[in-house]
Amino acid sequence: MLDIQPIPAFDDNYIWLFTDAAGERACVVDPGDAAPVEQALQAAGLQLDAVLITHHHFDHVGGLPQLRERHAPRVYGPDNPAIEGIDVRVGQGDSVEVLGRTFEVLAVPGHTLDHIAYFHSGDDPLVFCGDTLFAGGCGRMFEGQPAQMLASLDALAALPPATRVYCAHEYTLANLRFARAVEPENEALQARQAAAEATRARRAPTVPSTLADELATNPFLRCREAPVIAGLKAGEQLQGEAPAQVFASVRAWKDNFRG
Ligand SMILES: [Zn+2]
């Protein structure tokens, strides 16, 4: 199993770090801040070999200039000229080889138009999905449209259920409180919320989740499920029953939710 460590950054970001088999060279995902990455590299005696970028937001790319200057890693990222310091620009259907691991690139626009995810298949599948899919939620639609964002989430939902979901923020408790408002009777969701509260009480990350967890409890992946549609109706939030309308309804409700 690929060992992946969280490097906490800012208030609630996770920069993910993994190493080669020898434990000497490292890759980080979405280094919004260089300082905590430098600390983690030094503490473990690692050399920074590669960086994966999911999208252009500052809290995902802000550490790039300093890390490039000090370590000259190979940087993979979206084909967006607004991001400086990408060595290899990748998109849907590309695959990248990092520290002996292969990752398939998925285009997942919606949170931003340049957003991509990195999927590693095999016995131990995992995805680095940035701000597209969160544990119990999804990113806000800053640049995209509901049908587009839903298609991106559908692409992630089609990955193997065992896929570990490495998102970029610790938003889980707030997401699950909202999910309970949408689906108060969902027992898997109730159990997940209790488990996540216990995890956060000991200050441990709730990420990664698994795609199976998300399919059972995340309202944004459940736009075609009757209890979600019923919950939207009960909350007087339903804009229409087509999946993209259901998705837009869940997203709009969450944007205004004060739980
Ligand atoms: Zn973002």
Side-chain angles (χ1 to χ4, degrees), residues 54-60 111-112 115 130-132 134 142 169:
T54 63
H55 68 294
H56 70 85
H57 282 160
F58 181 78
D59 61 321
H60 298 251
H111 172 69
T112 62
H115 207 306
D131 291 353
T132 297
F134 289 131
F142 286 115
H169 287 274

Side-chain angles (χ1 to χ4, degrees), residues 91-96 102-107 116-122 126-128 159:
Q92 176 69 35
D94 288 336
S95 67
V96 302
T102 303
F103 293 86
E104 293 167 35
V105 178
L106 305 172
I116 57 176
Y118 298 88
F119 171 63
H120 174 66
S121 63
L126 65 96
V127 67
F128 295 113
L159 298 175

Side-chain angles (χ1 to χ4, degrees), residues 1-45:
M1 183 181 263
L2 182 56
D3 182 33
I4 302 175
Q5 300 295 326
I7 303 173
F10 306 115
D11 288 338
D12 49 35
N13 283 68
Y14 292 128
I15 300 166
W16 297 106
L17 180 151
F18 62 94
T19 70
D20 62 350
E24 293 168 354
R25 296 181 298 141
C27 174
V28 294
V29 184
D30 285 351
D33 190 2
V37 174
E38 296 285 6
Q39 277 178 13
L41 295 171
Q42 270 186 10

Side-chain angles (χ1 to χ4, degrees), residues 167-233:
C167 61
H169 287 274
E170 179 64 61
Y171 289 158
T172 313
L173 290 187
N175 285 339
L176 295 178
R177 277 195 294 274
F178 169 70
R180 288 291 307 276
V182 180
E183 277 194 279
E185 309 296 329
N186 182 331
E187 289 178 11
L189 175 55
Q190 292 168 20
R192 184 179 185 186
Q193 186 183 31
E197 283 172 354
T199 300
R200 291 309 290 156
R202 53 186 173 83
R203 296 188 173 80
T206 60
V207 184
S209 61
T210 66
L211 195 56
D213 294 335
E214 301 307 329
L215 291 168
T217 61
N218 186 327
F220 296 96
L221 294 191
R222 296 171 56 76
C223 291
R224 296 169 184 87
E225 301 292 330
V228 167
I229 295 170
L232 289 163
K233 271 186 191 156

